[in-house]
Amino acid sequence: MSARDVFRKIIGIELDENSPFGYPARQRTLDVSHNVILYLDDITVSFDGFKALNKLNLMIDAGELRCIIGPNGAGKTTMMDVITGKTRPDSGSAFFGQTIDLTQLSEPQIAHAGIGRKFQKPTIFEQHSVFENLELAMTTDKRALTTLTAWLRDDDRDRIADTLRLIRLDGEADRPAGLLSHGQKQWLEIGMLLMQEPKLLLLDEPVAGMTDDETMRTAELFVSLAGKHSLVVVEHDMAFVKALGGKVTVLHEGSVLAEGDLDAVQNDQRVIEVYLGR
Amino acid sequence: MREPLIFRMLSALDARARLGVAAFLAVALGLVPVLHLALPPESAFHVSTYAITLLGKIMCYAIVALAMDLIWGYGGILSLGHGIFFALGGYAFGMYLMRQIGRDGSYQSDLPDFMVFLDWKKLPWYWTGSDSFLWVALLVVVVPALVAFVFGYFAFRSRIKGVYFSIITQALTYAAMLLFFRNETGFGGNNGFTDFKRVLGYSITSSETRLVLFGVTAGVLALTFVFARWLVASKFGRVLTAIRDAESRVMFIGYDPLWFKLFIWTLSAVLCGIAGALYVPQVGIINPSEMSVANSIEIAIWVAVGGRGTLIGPIVGAFVVNLAKSWFTVSFPEYWLFFLGLLFIVVTLLLPQGLVGLWHTLRRAKGART
Ligand SMILES: Nc1ncnc2c1ncn2[C@@H]1O[C@H](COP(=O)(O)OP(=O)(O)OP(=O)(O)O)[C@@H](O)[C@H]1O
Ligand SMILES: [Mg+2]
């Protein structure tokens, strides 16, 4: 046993083989041989006895664009918390591809495995410039010691410039992100997500606060991302969900109530009751 | 490929900052020694020994203030126990100074006086090597680093934040103070170390030694400033401020805050240790009161007064507050704590950006008028 192994045993953390202080980019390979990128199996999460998720089952195909809808408090955000390691489930399992057990990984490890997340309330670095926000998100070696001497190569700058154009913030690159409008902040956060090059994108209410025009552009962007990426989109805006056109899952009281295309779901008697009964 | 690190560090300074550092070094390394040695004490421009000791001491505090700004201003982690690292560095170097007394102590023993007084026959094991300047110089860096690393590792791993973290740092310092108060700990109890005679064989009270210590302190302060500027301008610095502003966002884009916090925390402790080591020979004493709760809180006040997250502000704050303090302790000693409290309240309520913020506001206002 090497000194390194002993150290690891004593302090009980996983250090990377190559060097200490964090995680190198992409250490875990994603296995989607069964064409499924995310499995949630019987996930239960309770807060002081209240079950925010109750035996939730969900399966997302590789390349799929899935919409999750459901009334307030249905557990949509909690589900994303479980997938990204913020909340540990009381029971059940969560797998990314065939092999990666999400319940065993920390938030940064999950990010490196290839899951990116956009928060319900736009969360960006307000004091940093728009450019720096994208720079920080960009896939690269993110260990603490390497960031000391990290520098931007020309192709890194090109990538950031491309993303700036895509999210239509190329005129705002040097402004502090805190000065952006709400809709622009949403776009910036989406841009940060793209810089991370995740395999699976979790988007919690991405078009809240956007104009109709911005909403439709976002829908176009997401549709164009599907296939190469897998997307899970939580949204209340039905026009947006319709524009995305994917399969829809209805969450209610912490479990799946209905699943199918939007028309079928909207005509489902139980779904109507849940939404009208409130 | 890329330039050597030292050039990159200097290029992190803008022209004004470079000029400022150069001017500071010219005064500290050139002007002050000349005015001290060449002019007669009667001259109005003579720099007295008192002034050199005072300014040297304040420069040590300024290094501590910079260290505090790195973790508090940029990392968002408020330590109310930074005195412990300062004191550890001071005690480590103090051991060497005690050994340099040799047989010139009041008991004419090979052992430091306090050990003779305790009837100890030989040095405790942890004093091994304290005769060696190099060994002690190593201790000055390693001991604070080790304490900070171990403490920080468990605190940051448990995700202890905000006021909870501040309280724990204070408890740590307080516990250390109680430990150092005990005679059996082997660091001179409540008297600590004092009555130093020599450093590296030179008389510690001679003008030349004082000037060298003063110059070294000025150099370390300038170097710390340049290094800190470079650090906060690096990508590491951007991640650090990102952690301060939105820690969960940082985690979900794949950085582990633990290592960033731990690095800056340990670095900050090391800087304090070095400052403490420079402080002890100039002031001539180190005792457990350096680890008192009030001392550590004062460090935070210097930073707040000068302006956190600016690097230059904390240096200004350390000078302003400590010059005021030395004036008060001569003229109105009983009012100092009231003044300090008042200053803190005024700054927190009226000047959230500190003196540096005030300076920028005034300049903007002037720019708008003309
Ligand atoms: N940390 C927590 N502690 C206690 N209760 C919580 C916590 N997080 C979520 N909950 C509760 O769990 C339930 C599910 O919350 P969640 O945020 O997942 O709902 P949601 O479907 O995202 O709702 P919305 O549409 O309003 O965003 C809510 O009743 C909420 O109050
Ligand atoms: Mg939600």
Side-chain angles (χ1 to χ4, degrees), chain A residues 65 118 190 201 203 206-207 217-227 231 233 240 244:
Chain A
L65 196 177
K118 198 200 112 11
I190 292 168
L201 287 82
L203 300 130
V207 297
R217 283 211 318 260
T218 309
E220 273 168 38
L221 173 64
F222 287 2
V223 170
S224 76
L225 291 173
L231 293 90
V233 184
F240 178 69
L244 291 179

mmCIF file of all heavy atoms in Angstrom, chain A residues 65 118 190 201 203 206-207 217-227 231 233 240 244:
data_model
loop_
_atom_site.group_PDB
_atom_site.id
_atom_site.type_symbol
_atom_site.label_atom_id
_atom_site.label_comp_id
_atom_site.label_asym_id
_atom_site.label_seq_id
_atom_site.Cartn_x
_atom_site.Cartn_y
_atom_site.Cartn_z
ATOM 1 N N LEU A 65 -35.068 14.646 -25.565
ATOM 2 C CA LEU A 65 -35.433 15.926 -24.980
ATOM 3 C C LEU A 65 -36.718 15.691 -24.198
ATOM 4 O O LEU A 65 -37.773 15.460 -24.781
ATOM 5 C CB LEU A 65 -35.658 16.968 -26.092
ATOM 6 C CG LEU A 65 -35.686 18.449 -25.722
ATOM 7 C CD1 LEU A 65 -35.838 19.292 -26.970
ATOM 8 C CD2 LEU A 65 -36.713 18.831 -24.709
ATOM 9 N N LYS A 118 -28.962 23.955 -14.790
ATOM 10 C CA LYS A 118 -29.351 25.356 -14.697
ATOM 11 C C LYS A 118 -30.355 25.481 -13.578
ATOM 12 O O LYS A 118 -31.326 24.740 -13.531
ATOM 13 C CB LYS A 118 -29.989 25.814 -16.010
ATOM 14 C CG LYS A 118 -30.010 27.315 -16.156
ATOM 15 C CD LYS A 118 -31.031 27.771 -17.176
ATOM 16 C CE LYS A 118 -32.194 28.526 -16.585
ATOM 17 N NZ LYS A 118 -32.163 28.969 -15.233
ATOM 18 N N ILE A 190 -27.484 29.419 -19.471
ATOM 19 C CA ILE A 190 -27.541 28.362 -20.494
ATOM 20 C C ILE A 190 -26.197 28.284 -21.225
ATOM 21 O O ILE A 190 -25.661 27.199 -21.478
ATOM 22 C CB ILE A 190 -28.698 28.638 -21.482
ATOM 23 C CG1 ILE A 190 -30.037 28.481 -20.757
ATOM 24 C CG2 ILE A 190 -28.623 27.700 -22.684
ATOM 25 C CD1 ILE A 190 -31.229 28.999 -21.532
ATOM 26 N N LEU A 201 -28.234 17.660 -19.853
ATOM 27 C CA LEU A 201 -28.499 19.003 -19.355
ATOM 28 C C LEU A 201 -29.798 18.999 -18.567
ATOM 29 O O LEU A 201 -30.823 18.516 -19.060
ATOM 30 C CB LEU A 201 -28.645 20.006 -20.510
ATOM 31 C CG LEU A 201 -27.394 20.427 -21.273
ATOM 32 C CD1 LEU A 201 -27.051 19.384 -22.314
ATOM 33 C CD2 LEU A 201 -27.622 21.769 -21.940
ATOM 34 N N LEU A 203 -32.484 21.490 -16.957
ATOM 35 C CA LEU A 203 -32.825 22.907 -17.036
ATOM 36 C C LEU A 203 -34.093 23.165 -16.245
ATOM 37 O O LEU A 203 -35.173 22.700 -16.612
ATOM 38 C CB LEU A 203 -32.994 23.308 -18.503
ATOM 39 C CG LEU A 203 -31.709 23.067 -19.311
ATOM 40 C CD1 LEU A 203 -31.995 22.296 -20.571
ATOM 41 C CD2 LEU A 203 -31.009 24.373 -19.596
ATOM 42 N N PRO A 206 -36.158 27.254 -17.520
ATOM 43 C CA PRO A 206 -35.174 28.097 -18.207
ATOM 44 C C PRO A 206 -35.763 29.343 -18.859
ATOM 45 O O PRO A 206 -35.007 30.271 -19.132
ATOM 46 C CB PRO A 206 -34.595 27.161 -19.277
ATOM 47 C CG PRO A 206 -35.672 26.156 -19.516
ATOM 48 C CD PRO A 206 -36.356 25.968 -18.206
ATOM 49 N N VAL A 207 -37.062 29.397 -19.115
ATOM 50 C CA VAL A 207 -37.577 30.565 -19.836
ATOM 51 C C VAL A 207 -38.385 31.507 -18.945
ATOM 52 O O VAL A 207 -38.966 32.471 -19.438
ATOM 53 C CB VAL A 207 -38.414 30.167 -21.085
ATOM 54 C CG1 VAL A 207 -37.526 29.439 -22.071
ATOM 55 C CG2 VAL A 207 -39.623 29.339 -20.710
ATOM 56 N N ARG A 217 -36.864 31.378 -29.160
ATOM 57 C CA ARG A 217 -35.470 31.156 -29.571
ATOM 58 C C ARG A 217 -34.818 30.095 -28.690
ATOM 59 O O ARG A 217 -34.039 29.261 -29.168
ATOM 60 C CB ARG A 217 -34.675 32.459 -29.476
ATOM 61 C CG ARG A 217 -34.944 33.406 -30.622
ATOM 62 C CD ARG A 217 -33.727 34.251 -30.943
ATOM 63 N NE ARG A 217 -33.045 34.746 -29.762
ATOM 64 C CZ ARG A 217 -33.181 35.982 -29.256
ATOM 65 N NH1 ARG A 217 -33.987 36.841 -29.827
ATOM 66 N NH2 ARG A 217 -32.509 36.347 -28.202
ATOM 67 N N THR A 218 -35.179 30.131 -27.398
ATOM 68 C CA THR A 218 -34.644 29.119 -26.486
ATOM 69 C C THR A 218 -35.118 27.735 -26.910
ATOM 70 O O THR A 218 -34.344 26.770 -26.916
ATOM 71 C CB THR A 218 -35.089 29.419 -25.046
ATOM 72 O OG1 THR A 218 -34.782 30.773 -24.751
ATOM 73 C CG2 THR A 218 -34.394 28.525 -24.047
ATOM 74 N N ALA A 219 -36.392 27.643 -27.264
ATOM 75 C CA ALA A 219 -36.942 26.352 -27.697
ATOM 76 C C ALA A 219 -36.161 25.845 -28.913
ATOM 77 O O ALA A 219 -35.770 24.671 -28.968
ATOM 78 C CB ALA A 219 -38.423 26.497 -28.020
ATOM 79 N N GLU A 220 -35.913 26.738 -29.868
ATOM 80 C CA GLU A 220 -35.142 26.332 -31.058
ATOM 81 C C GLU A 220 -33.769 25.805 -30.666
ATOM 82 O O GLU A 220 -33.312 24.775 -31.166
ATOM 83 C CB GLU A 220 -34.934 27.542 -31.991
ATOM 84 C CG GLU A 220 -36.055 27.777 -32.965
ATOM 85 C CD GLU A 220 -35.898 29.140 -33.640
ATOM 86 O OE1 GLU A 220 -34.733 29.516 -33.929
ATOM 87 O OE2 GLU A 220 -36.906 29.821 -33.837
ATOM 88 N N LEU A 221 -33.122 26.543 -29.760
ATOM 89 C CA LEU A 221 -31.783 26.139 -29.319
ATOM 90 C C LEU A 221 -31.817 24.737 -28.710
ATOM 91 O O LEU A 221 -31.019 23.869 -29.061
ATOM 92 C CB LEU A 221 -31.250 27.150 -28.298
ATOM 93 C CG LEU A 221 -29.935 26.785 -27.619
ATOM 94 C CD1 LEU A 221 -28.801 26.730 -28.634
ATOM 95 C CD2 LEU A 221 -29.585 27.776 -26.519
ATOM 96 N N PHE A 222 -32.785 24.498 -27.834
ATOM 97 C CA PHE A 222 -32.852 23.208 -27.147
ATOM 98 C C PHE A 222 -33.112 22.086 -28.143
ATOM 99 O O PHE A 222 -32.521 21.010 -28.045
ATOM 100 C CB PHE A 222 -33.950 23.218 -26.065
ATOM 101 C CG PHE A 222 -33.581 24.040 -24.853
ATOM 102 C CD1 PHE A 222 -32.394 24.731 -24.797
ATOM 103 C CD2 PHE A 222 -34.439 24.118 -23.762
ATOM 104 C CE1 PHE A 222 -32.048 25.497 -23.693
ATOM 105 C CE2 PHE A 222 -34.114 24.867 -22.650
ATOM 106 C CZ PHE A 222 -32.919 25.568 -22.615
ATOM 107 N N VAL A 223 -34.015 22.354 -29.083
ATOM 108 C CA VAL A 223 -34.315 21.315 -30.070
ATOM 109 C C VAL A 223 -33.055 20.987 -30.865
ATOM 110 O O VAL A 223 -32.763 19.819 -31.152
ATOM 111 C CB VAL A 223 -35.466 21.775 -30.999
ATOM 112 C CG1 VAL A 223 -35.616 20.821 -32.174
ATOM 113 C CG2 VAL A 223 -36.767 21.852 -30.209
ATOM 114 N N SER A 224 -32.273 22.033 -31.172
ATOM 115 C CA SER A 224 -31.048 21.780 -31.946
ATOM 116 C C SER A 224 -30.001 21.026 -31.122
ATOM 117 O O SER A 224 -29.149 20.340 -31.672
ATOM 118 C CB SER A 224 -30.466 23.095 -32.461
ATOM 119 O OG SER A 224 -29.821 23.782 -31.402
ATOM 120 N N LEU A 225 -30.058 21.156 -29.796
ATOM 121 C CA LEU A 225 -29.080 20.463 -28.949
ATOM 122 C C LEU A 225 -29.409 18.983 -28.786
ATOM 123 O O LEU A 225 -28.523 18.154 -28.594
ATOM 124 C CB LEU A 225 -29.033 21.102 -27.559
ATOM 125 C CG LEU A 225 -28.448 22.506 -27.460
ATOM 126 C CD1 LEU A 225 -28.622 23.057 -26.051
ATOM 127 C CD2 LEU A 225 -26.978 22.491 -27.837
ATOM 128 N N ALA A 226 -30.721 18.676 -28.826
ATOM 129 C CA ALA A 226 -31.144 17.293 -28.610
ATOM 130 C C ALA A 226 -30.501 16.403 -29.661
ATOM 131 O O ALA A 226 -30.182 16.845 -30.754
ATOM 132 C CB ALA A 226 -32.663 17.200 -28.679
ATOM 133 N N GLY A 227 -30.292 15.150 -29.313
ATOM 134 C CA GLY A 227 -29.615 14.240 -30.230
ATOM 135 C C GLY A 227 -28.180 14.101 -29.790
ATOM 136 O O GLY A 227 -27.761 13.053 -29.313
ATOM 137 N N LEU A 231 -31.570 16.214 -22.825
ATOM 138 C CA LEU A 231 -32.040 17.352 -22.054
ATOM 139 C C LEU A 231 -33.252 16.979 -21.212
ATOM 140 O O LEU A 231 -34.140 16.273 -21.683
ATOM 141 C CB LEU A 231 -32.447 18.519 -22.970
ATOM 142 C CG LEU A 231 -31.351 19.216 -23.770
ATOM 143 C CD1 LEU A 231 -31.193 18.543 -25.116
ATOM 144 C CD2 LEU A 231 -31.701 20.685 -23.975
ATOM 145 N N VAL A 233 -36.041 19.167 -19.232
ATOM 146 C CA VAL A 233 -36.460 20.552 -19.064
ATOM 147 C C VAL A 233 -37.689 20.608 -18.170
ATOM 148 O O VAL A 233 -38.699 19.973 -18.461
ATOM 149 C CB VAL A 233 -36.794 21.191 -20.430
ATOM 150 C CG1 VAL A 233 -37.141 22.658 -20.258
ATOM 151 C CG2 VAL A 233 -35.647 21.016 -21.399
ATOM 152 N N PHE A 240 -44.127 26.813 -24.550
ATOM 153 C CA PHE A 240 -42.720 26.425 -24.668
ATOM 154 C C PHE A 240 -42.601 24.906 -24.741
ATOM 155 O O PHE A 240 -41.892 24.362 -25.589
ATOM 156 C CB PHE A 240 -41.948 26.994 -23.467
ATOM 157 C CG PHE A 240 -40.495 26.634 -23.425
ATOM 158 C CD1 PHE A 240 -39.609 27.153 -24.351
ATOM 159 C CD2 PHE A 240 -40.004 25.789 -22.434
ATOM 160 C CE1 PHE A 240 -38.261 26.825 -24.308
ATOM 161 C CE2 PHE A 240 -38.653 25.460 -22.384
ATOM 162 C CZ PHE A 240 -37.783 25.977 -23.324
ATOM 163 N N LEU A 244 -41.083 22.551 -27.775
ATOM 164 C CA LEU A 244 -39.986 21.592 -27.637
ATOM 165 C C LEU A 244 -40.355 20.253 -28.270
ATOM 166 O O LEU A 244 -39.513 19.556 -28.823
ATOM 167 C CB LEU A 244 -39.635 21.385 -26.158
ATOM 168 C CG LEU A 244 -38.977 22.580 -25.465
ATOM 169 C CD1 LEU A 244 -38.705 22.253 -24.003
ATOM 170 C CD2 LEU A 244 -37.683 22.973 -26.154
#
